C-alpha cells in the first residue's frame, strides 16, 4: 500500500503543497500554514474555505476517491489543483493525521482522527474553524523519517520555495506561513495580503527592490499579425550559430502562432547589469496558474536573457494562459511536469516576446558615486596662478618652521 503512495508525497514541500491546494480549491481567502520545528514536529494548515459535509468525511480520505471528475473526458477541462483523490490518503499513510472541519451549513465543527489507512478512528465535536493537522510526517517509513530529520533545513527551504509560487500566482487569497521553534518562539516566514495584483504579491514576498528591478513581458502580437519573413529575420538576427530552438519553423507554424489561443502574463529582470540575480532561485513558471517545471521554456528564457546580460540570472514570473484542453497535467504524481499542445509555437511566441521586451533596453551599468561621463572627462591642469599660490603657501610654512 505504501509503495505507490510514497510516490505521491515525496517531501515536506509536497505535503504542504497538497494541503494548500486543497484550501485554495475550497474557495478559501485565508490560508495559514503553521510549522513546528520547521515541520519536524508537526504541520498545521487552516483556512476559511467551504468545509466538508459530515456525510462526506469517510470519502474524503479514501484512496482514489474524488468529486472533481466523473468521466474520463473530465480530465480535459479540470480547473482545480487536485483531482485524483490521492493526496489525503497518502498523507494518512505517512503521518498521524487529524482534520478539523466545519461546513457552512452547520454551527459546530468536527474533529476527525484518522489511522494510516485513511479510516476514521475517532470523531468529536469542536469549536474550531476549518483546518488540517499533520504530526510525525513519514513516521510509517523509518528510513525516510531519519533522512527527513537529517536534512530538515533543506526540506524546509524547498517547502518555502514551492509555497512562494502559490503566494505569487494566487490572487485574492491571503497566505501566511509561520514557524515555531522547540523553545516556543514564533516567526512569520512569508505572507501575502490577499491582493489582486501580481506585483503586490511579488513585493510582499521579495520586497519592493525586486519589483523595481523587473519589467513586464511584452505581448508577441503587440505590433499586429506576424509574418514568416519578419519573424525569421528577427529571430535569426538574435540567434547563436548553434541555436536551433526557435529558428526552425514554417509558414504553417507562423499561421498557427497568429491563431493561437494563449496569452503570456509575466515579469522578468531587466537586462541592465546589476538588476539580475546571482542564482536561479527566483524563477517561477505557471500554466493556467498551476505551478510547473517546463524545462524547454526555462531554457529559452535563460538563454535569451544571457545574450543581454551574461553575468546574471533573471527573476522570472511567467503564467501561460491557454485552453484547458491544450494541457495535460496528469503526467507525474506531483503534477509539476506538463504536456503542452503546440509547445514549439509557444516557444516562438515566448522568444518574440523577450526580443520585444529587451530590444530597446540599452546595455548599461549602474555605478555608485561616479558616472561614465565623469570618468572620461580630462582632469583640469593647474593654472599658473594656482601654482604660484601653492609655492607661496609652501614658503610660508617653511618660514614658520
Amino acid at each position: 500500500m505504501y509503495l505507490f503512495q510514497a510516490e505521491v508525497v515525496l517531501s515536506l514541500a509536497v505535503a504542504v503543497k497538497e494541503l494548500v491546494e486543497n484550501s485554495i480549491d475550497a474557495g478559501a481567502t485565508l490560508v495559514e500554514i503553521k510549522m513546528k520545528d520547521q515541520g519536524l514536529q508537526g504541520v498545521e494548515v487552516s483556512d476559511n474555505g467551504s468545509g466538508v459535509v459530515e456525510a462526506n468525511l469517510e470519502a474524503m480520505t479514501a484512496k482514489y476517491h474524488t468529486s472533481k471528475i466523473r468521466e474520463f473526458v473530465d480530465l480535459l477541462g479540470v480547473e482545480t489543483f487536485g483531482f485524483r483523490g490521492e493526496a489525503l490518503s497518502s498523507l494518512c499513510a505517512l503521518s498521524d493525521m487529524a482534520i478539523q472541519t466545519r461546513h457552512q451549513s452547520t454551527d459546530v465543527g468536527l474533529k476527525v482522527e484518522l489511522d494510516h489507512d485513511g479510516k476514521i478512528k475517532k470523531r468529536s465535536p469542536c469549536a474550531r474553524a476549518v483546518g488540517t493537522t499533520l504530526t510525525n510526517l513519514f513516521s510509517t517509513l523509518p528510513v525516510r523519517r531519519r533522512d527527513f530529520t537529517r536534512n530538515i533545513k533543506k526540506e524546509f527551504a524547498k517547502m518555502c520555495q514551492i509555497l512562494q509560487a502559490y503566494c505569487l500566482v494566487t490572487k485574492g487569497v491571503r497566505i501566511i506561513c509561520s514557524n515555531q521553534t522547540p523553545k516556543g518562539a514564533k516567526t512569520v516566514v512569508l505572507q501575502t495580503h490577499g491582493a489582486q495584483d501580481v506585483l503586490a504579491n511579488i513585493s510582499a514576498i521579495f520586497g519592493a527592490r525586486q519589483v523595481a528591478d523587473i519589467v513586464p513581458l511584452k505581448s508577441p502580437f503587440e505590433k499586429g499579425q506576424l509574418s514568416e519573413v519578419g519573424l525569421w529575420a528577427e529571430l535569426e538576427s538574435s540567434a547563436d550559430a548553434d541555436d536551433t530552438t526557435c529558428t526552425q519553423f514554417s509558414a504553417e507554424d507562423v499561421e498557427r502562432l497568429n491563431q493561437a489561443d494563449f496569452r503570456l502574463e509575466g515579469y522578468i529582470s531587466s537586462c541592465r547589469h546589476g538588476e539580475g540575480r546571482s542564482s536561479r532561485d527566483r524563477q517561477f513558471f505557471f500554466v493556467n496558474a498551476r505551478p510547473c517545471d517546463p524545462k524547454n521554456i526555462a531554457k529559452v528564457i535563460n538563454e535569451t536573457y544571457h545574450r543581454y546580460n551574461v553575468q546574471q540570472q533573471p527573476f522570472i514570473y511567467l503564467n501561460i494562459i491557454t485552453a484547458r484542453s491544450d494541457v495535460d497535467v496528469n503526467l507525474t504524481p506531483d503534477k509539476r511536469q506538463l504536456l503542452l499542445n503546440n509547445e514549439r509555437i509557444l516557444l516562438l511566441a515566448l522568444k518574440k516576446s523577450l526580443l520585444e521586451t529587451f530590444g530597446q533596453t540599452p546595455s548599461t551599468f549602474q555605478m555608485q558615486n561616479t558616472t561614465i561621463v565623469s570618468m572620461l572627462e580630462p582632469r583640469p591642469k593647474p593654472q599658473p596662478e594656482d601654482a604660484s599660490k601653492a609655492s607661496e603657501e609652501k614658503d610660508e610654512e617653511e618660514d614658520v618652521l
Side-chain angles (χ1 to χ4, degrees):
M1 178 184 68
Y2 298 141
L3 291 179
F4 180 78
Q5 291 177 330
E7 293 298 320
V8 178
V9 181
L10 301 170
S11 61
L12 172 67
V14 176
V16 173
K17 160 191 169 296
E18 297 291 348
L19 294 175
V20 170
E21 287 182 347
N22 283 350
S23 296
I24 297 174
D25 286 344
T29 58
L30 173 63
V31 182
E32 294 185 75
I33 304 99
K34 300 177 183 178
M35 317 288 289
K36 292 185 178 179
D37 194 13
Q38 299 182 325
L40 199 58
Q41 295 182 12
V43 179
E44 180 179 335
V45 177
S46 59
D47 62 67
N48 62 349
S50 58
V52 181
V53 180
E54 184 175 1
N56 294 335
L57 289 177
E58 294 282 354
M60 181 173 55
T61 54
K63 289 185 294 183
Y64 320 125
H65 187 283
T66 178
S67 60
K68 309 296 175 54
I69 54 176
R70 298 183 182 278
E71 299 178 359
F72 183 79
V73 293
D74 293 341
L75 286 172
L76 299 178
V78 64
E79 297 183 359
T80 56
F81 287 114
F83 56 86
R84 290 192 300 225
E86 295 176 348
L88 290 181
S89 62
S90 300
L91 290 172
C92 288
L94 300 173
S95 62
D96 299 328
M97 187 170 180
I99 297 176
Q100 295 184 11
T101 183
R102 181 179 65 83
H103 191 261
Q104 57 187 3
S105 61
T106 61
D107 297 328
V108 180
L110 282 174
K111 180 179 180 180
V112 179
E113 297 180 22
L114 302 137
D115 61 17
H116 296 309
D117 293 324
K119 296 179 180 180
I120 298 175
K121 61 181 182 181
K122 183 180 179 181
R123 69 172 71 190
S124 57
C126 68
R128 226 197 72 170
V130 178
T132 305
T133 303
L134 294 178
T135 58
N136 298 324
L137 190 60
F138 303 127
S139 60
T140 59
L141 302 173
V143 175
R144 182 172 294 187
R145 175 69 183 183
R146 285 196 296 270
D147 182 72
F148 175 58
T149 304
R150 184 169 59 251
N151 299 307
I152 186 59
K153 290 185 178 180
K154 292 182 179 179
E155 292 273 350
F156 185 75
K158 180 64 176 176
M159 184 277 301
C160 289
Q161 188 173 31
I162 288 183
L163 190 57
Q164 285 170 356
Y166 290 90
C167 290
L168 295 179
V169 77
T170 306
K171 301 176 183 178
V173 180
R174 187 183 181 193
I175 300 177
I176 307 172
C177 178
S178 62
N179 179 56
Q180 183 177 348
T181 65
K183 294 183 179 180
K186 184 179 179 180
T187 58
V188 176
V189 179
L190 56 86
Q191 66 174 328
T192 60
H193 307 294
Q196 296 289 344
D197 182 20
V198 173
L199 285 177
N201 289 340
I202 295 175
S203 179
I205 299 300
F206 300 119
R209 172 65 187 275
Q210 182 65 80
V211 175
D213 289 343
I214 60 179
V215 294
L217 282 174
K218 293 186 178 180
S219 168
F221 309 106
E222 194 172 66
K223 299 178 181 178
Q225 294 287 299
L226 306 178
S227 66
E228 181 183 3
V229 176
L231 186 59
W232 177 273
E234 188 169 2
L235 296 182
E236 190 178 47
S237 64
S238 66
D240 294 333
D242 57 347
D243 181 18
T244 60
T245 306
C246 295
T247 55
Q248 295 179 352
F249 57 89
S250 62
E252 182 183 354
D253 291 334
V254 177
E255 183 61 26
R256 288 162 63 192
L257 176 58
N258 285 324
Q259 298 177 355
D261 184 21
F262 63 79
R263 291 182 292 112
L264 301 178
E265 296 180 350
Y267 297 90
I268 189 169
S269 294
S270 170
C271 58
R272 288 189 177 92
H273 292 271
E275 297 189 4
R277 297 188 54 77
S278 59
S279 65
R280 298 183 182 181
D281 60 336
R282 294 184 184 176
Q283 297 190 357
F284 304 93
F285 302 93
F286 311 86
V287 174
N288 294 330
R290 182 186 294 276
C292 59
D293 298 318
K295 295 181 180 179
N296 292 335
I297 292 174
K299 180 182 178 183
V300 166
I301 295 180
N302 282 285
E303 287 181 351
T304 305
Y305 184 85
H306 288 153
R307 294 197 183 102
Y308 298 89
N309 185 343
V310 71
Q311 295 180 336
Q312 293 184 301
Q313 309 295 333
F315 168 96
I316 301 172
Y317 169 91
L318 176 64
N319 186 20
I320 302 168
I321 310 298
T322 185
R324 305 281 178 180
S325 58
D326 287 338
V327 187
D328 186 357
V329 300
N330 196 28
L331 296 181
T332 58
D334 60 1
K335 309 184 191 77
R336 298 283 297 187
Q337 302 298 324
L338 307 181
L339 187 62
L340 283 167
N341 191 23
N342 298 327
E343 183 176 314
R344 187 172 65 163
I345 305 301
L346 176 61
L347 294 177
L348 275 176
L350 184 56
K351 191 163 187 180
K352 178 75 165 58
S353 174
L354 292 168
L355 295 177
E356 292 284 345
T357 302
F358 295 141
Q360 304 300 321
T361 303
S363 298
T364 59
F365 286 91
Q366 287 188 350
M367 305 188 69
Q368 296 180 355
N369 302 327
T370 186
T371 64
I372 296 294
V373 176
S374 64
M375 293 173 63
L376 297 178
E377 288 180 348
R379 294 184 179 181
K381 296 181 179 180
Q383 299 296 325
E385 295 181 359
D386 297 335
S388 61
K389 288 181 180 180
S391 61
E392 290 177 1
E393 292 176 356
K394 184 176 181 182
D395 293 337
E396 291 178 358
E397 290 179 358
E398 290 178 353
D399 292 341
V400 172
L401 294 174

